[in-house]
Amino acid sequence: MDSIVISIGGSVLLSDEADVNFLVNFAKLLVKHSEKYRIFLIVGGGRISRYYIKKGRELNIKEDELDKLGIAITRVNASLITNLLKISNNEIPSNTDDALKLRNKIVVMGGTIPGHSTDFVGAELAKKTHSSKFIIATNVDGIYDKDPNKYSDAKQLKSVSIKDLIKQYGTNWNSAGSNVVVDGPALKMILDAETPTVVINGKKLDQLEKAILNKPINGTIIKI
Ligand code: UTP
């Protein structure tokens, strides 16, 4: 069975708009497609992780420890979602090798170690499972030429090459809680594994379904 990896932002699943209805429909969608694909879902930390990281930074806690606070929150978020899905793993694996040992049709996890975001975890799982697709489900309609949350004239990119993204953003990890659409270490992993990757708005479940089914999306295709 073909595998798909989906990295979904905590900012998508725990936003104000993500009411019970949205979460139930999100779960139904994944369960439906798990008939055809083995799904690995990596859940991000969202604003709750950023809150802890901000507080920790004010308290002069060092960067690695701030990353660990973020990781803990991603794992709490992953627990919430796995309880909702019901057919996925009960315990949240702490690394991708442990995730690969699980036999559930849907495997849910959060972050692993300091130094990257959950997008990297997704890219690593996609590499290890030779997944046919890595879907990054974020809170905007794909990758833009500048931050669309800051600039109203930001233009969505229909496609962009991985090399151009690396030229623009680099491959380093910036700092705990850093808010980039795909983090540098994840870009490097996508390039190394040549994983077909798309970025879509996870708040739009029709887009998520289109990405799963390989249909045209209103998002960004990362060209390898
Ligand atoms: P996220 O992956 O959720 O960051 O991890 P994000 O992309 O900024 O947030 P959303 O979910 O898309 O809104 C939160 C933080 O946890 C740490 C990092 O500090 C990251 O910024 N983290 C996460 C790690 O250090 N390692 C991991 O494997 C995952």
Side-chain angles (χ1 to χ4, degrees):
M1 195 186 244
D2 204 357
S3 303
I4 286 186
V5 177
I6 302 171
S7 165
I8 188 141
S11 49
V12 173
L13 291 179
L14 296 154
S15 67
D16 290 337
E17 305 99 289
D19 55 12
V20 165
N21 223 6
F22 172 86
L23 293 172
V24 168
N25 288 333
F26 170 74
K28 276 190 188 153
L29 182 76
L30 292 196
V31 171
K32 177 173 139 195
H33 291 290
S34 70
E35 294 298 323
K36 194 160 168 226
Y37 297 104
R38 181 119 199 270
I39 297 176
F40 291 87
L41 180 72
I42 302 95
V43 183
R47 66 176 174 214
I48 303 175
S49 68
R50 273 189 286 277
Y51 174 82
Y52 272 92
I53 289 167
K54 184 168 172 280
K55 276 280 163 231
R57 197 167 274 131
E58 284 165 14
L59 294 166
N60 284 324
I61 292 174
K62 59 181 197 224
E63 279 298 312
D64 257 29
E65 298 301 324
L66 297 179
D67 276 343
K68 286 186 203 163
L69 288 175
I71 293 166
I73 301 299
T74 65
R75 293 168 58 80
V76 172
N77 291 347
S79 293
L80 180 75
I81 300 304
T82 206
N83 275 293
L84 173 67
L85 285 165
K86 296 192 176 79
I87 62 167
S88 44
N89 46 304
N90 277 328
E91 301 301 321
I92 302 302
S94 50
N95 58 59
T96 52
D97 285 337
D98 286 351
L100 292 176
K101 289 178 196 145
L102 297 167
R103 288 285 139 247
N104 307 71
K105 281 184 175 175
I106 305 179
V107 172
V108 184
M109 69 182 294
T112 54
I113 57 168
H116 48 69
S117 79
T118 43
D119 290 340
F120 174 87
V121 180
E124 186 177 77
L125 266 177
K127 181 181 183 183
K128 289 184 177 175
T129 55
H130 307 286
S131 286
S132 62
K133 182 154 283 183
F134 178 30
I135 300 169
I136 298 177
T138 183
N139 62 0
V140 289
D141 290 344
I143 301 178
Y144 287 71
D145 60 349
K146 47 190 166 183
D147 186 348
N149 291 318
K150 283 194 198 138
Y151 301 95
S152 59
D153 62 341
K155 282 197 195 68
Q156 182 206 33
L157 307 175
K158 289 286 169 200
S159 74
V160 59
S161 80
I162 187 79
K163 289 199 172 130
D164 283 350
L165 285 175
I166 288 177
K167 226 181 267 165
Q168 193 175 351
Y169 298 106
T171 56
N172 290 334
W173 176 236
N174 296 333
S175 56
S178 82
N179 210 356
V180 286
V181 65
V182 187
D183 72 292
L187 291 174
K188 185 171 185 311
M189 184 63 81
I190 291 166
L191 174 68
D192 290 349
E194 300 185 348
T195 306
T197 303
V198 295
V199 182
I200 50 125
N201 191 335
K203 291 181 180 177
K204 298 181 178 168
L205 293 180
D206 61 320
Q207 291 301 318
L208 180 57
E209 183 156 44
K210 282 179 180 161
I212 293 171
L213 295 173
N214 274 325
K215 290 191 175 161
I217 48 161
N218 175 22
T220 303
I221 296 169
I222 298 183
K223 289 184 292 175
I224 305 299

